[in-house]
Amino acid sequence: MDKPSHISVILDLSPSQWHLSSLPENPHPLSLRSFLSQLLAFLNLHIASKHENTLAVFGAFPSKSVMLYSSTDPEADNTENVNPNMYHPFQVVDSRVVTRIEEELESLDQSEEEAPIGLVGALTKALCYINRIIHPSASQSSGTTSEDPTTLPDPRILVLSVSPDLSTSYIPIMNSIFSAQKLKVVIDVCKVYGPDTVFLEQAAHLTGGSYIYLDRRDALLQHLIMSHMPSPALRKLMTVPTQDKIDFRAACFCHKNIVDIGFVCSVCLSIFCAPVPVCSTCRTKFPIKTLQRLNASRPPGLKPANGALKTAPSTPHTRGPSTPR
Amino acid sequence: MSKFNKDGANGSVIDDLPHALLPFLQSQSQNTLTRLYQRPSACLSIFRLLPPLDRQIVMNLLWLESPVPAVTMSAWVTREGKKIYDATLLNLSRLHILPNPSVRLSLNGTFKTSLRQAITGGGTIGSFGTAAPKDDKHQPATVETLDAYAVERWETILHYMVSSGTGQLPTKPSPGVLFLLQRSGLMSTVHGSALQITSAGFQFLLHSPHDQLWQLLLQYLYMAEEREMDLVEILSFLFMLSTMELGREYSVESLSGTQKAMLEDLRDYGLIWQRRASSRRFSPTRLATTLTSSLPPLPTSTSSGAGTQDQGFVILETNYRLYAYTDNPLQTAVLNLFVTLKYRFPNLVVGSITRDSVRKALANGITADQIISYLSTHAHPQMRKNKPLIPVTVQDQIRLWELERNRLKSEEGYLYTAFASQADYEYVLNYAKELNVVVWESPAKRCFFGTLEGHSNIRGFIERRTGGQA
């Protein structure tokens, strides 16, 4: 049970959202600075738990994503001065993460409008990184690392999100979820600020992770430790909070809107917000009679959001990447 | 010695058992532990030695200012986890990390403060070691030098042990090490002659280096108690070493007197390296920096020639033939404990496992399970493809050879004979059977054998009976 574990942490570092989060009108204002200090304590505890535990930190910035730190990164380890009051690996992680975030935030261009957040990029990079460390033989043919499965870390991803959902990123997020399922990677989500995000809720649910909406934002560290620190093996003994209701709604392929009722192509399972004569993904033509019947059965106006689409999450797997823009 | 053996064996065979050091810490007084918990590095290392659920509980409570009702915490535990959770609380309270866990849960104040300091940095104790200022004359020792030194020291000790009975004369470790080996019961002198390896010593050789190291260090701690050295100083120095960084030099200045005295011992074991005995700086080796992890404490690189330690090198075939790809005299000597070696090549040793060779090992006190676990931990990567790893025939045969030795069992007791009648005999025998004390019976000869514990009852029964008849 006492296996080493790996956490890839994804930080949502949207400057505008963090600015909103730190405004004093919030019930519990949380600035980026105090968020980082609590996060670093969490990271340190993770490394402290076991010598073999590994860590990677990814940052999602507006329209880009960067790897901020990884335990296998050799150049991170060149600090000269040693503080006798602190464990050396902690110093390396802390200084590296903070300086890299500062560098990246400095280099952002000060344009008026903020570009959409690169969360998907960070998620994909994290998955690629995990894939590399759990298949060491593929990347290092020298065979110096033992291929004993007991020494390989238990991987998971922790997303700390502040931005609202981007409906355009529905398909790539779903595809990431499927690869995570395939790699047996658990995705934990902590919603630090902003409204619930539908897609990340689904990500946590489908991979068996926990989704936390942070009410008491002054207790961030305690929430992180109680619900995101236990490794998947430990969660059998110590429960972590899970959602009681999950929003399963999907986004349509044509306008990227989140829909309550969608129309699904019977051949390729693409989702549309309105009946279409030709499926834009697989070019299947639908009979005109069916279209008329479907149009007739559509509810007049907008129905309240209670009919969730249960079949939706499985759809983009088949045809996701080839959808037209 | 018996205490020591128990602890050592516990930590080694199964990974799920708690670390060998924890029972030792639990046996210490609250005062000692509280003094130890004043150092952040010690708290960090102890935290790391704890089992996973214990760590989680400590983390849950670490940042809380007020105690948590025990009911609240146990609500988080699933039904399967209940038993482990209760054991966890007991374990933590024995370590005085969690005093009185029955009603309210709250960490020991000293431990909490120190662990928080370790995580966030801060404080002024300097418990993670003061780095030595840059030396203009000498470059600090490279990782390769340190590894080579650690391997050389450690293998000297093991090689001395393994070849003690064979008449070879390997390099002798320092007197301090010899004394420790003798005290720990791994070696002993038989009527005044040179040191001989004992059966505990043979078992020791088959353990992983990590367990061997802790076994010796635990013995060192017991000895320190007798020598009236300050245990807190010793433990905190060991923990400090375990948090240090490989390949960096640290200054001797900030160490206490006891700790400076320890430098010499630790140098002999290969845990630290110093340029000269009087040097004012020291570098921990890999043996020291991996004390609280499960990484291999000796280097794994094959380039240095000495260490093929972690990589498997043994191929065992179903026909009991064994091929060991090694040039290391120590590994050859350890194999020689239970294998009849046939040929030797520069990089290969060939032998076979025979009844005689295994019986010789069993006579030395090595068990069949230890042989099998040694073979499986050192199996060649090529063999790892097999399932099961060790051929079943060989495994079973080794176990059978062990059983062969256990054909006779001795038990102390009393033989009851010369019953007057068959009825008498059966009456007493039934009584003895009810007490479950019969070892052997023979109705034809009208006698049975009872255990020592049952004798007074049976005797009383017979006396009452004969008394009643008279």
Side-chain angles (χ1 to χ4, degrees), chain B residues 174-191:
Chain B
S174 69
V177 175
L178 291 182
F179 184 66
L180 187 69
L181 288 175
Q182 198 178 346
R183 274 303 307 275
S184 55
L186 298 176
M187 300 187 87
S188 64
T189 50
V190 190
H191 26 262

Side-chain angles (χ1 to χ4, degrees), chain B residues 23 40 177 333 374 390 427 454:
Chain B
V177 175
Y374 181 87
I390 306 292
Y427 194 67

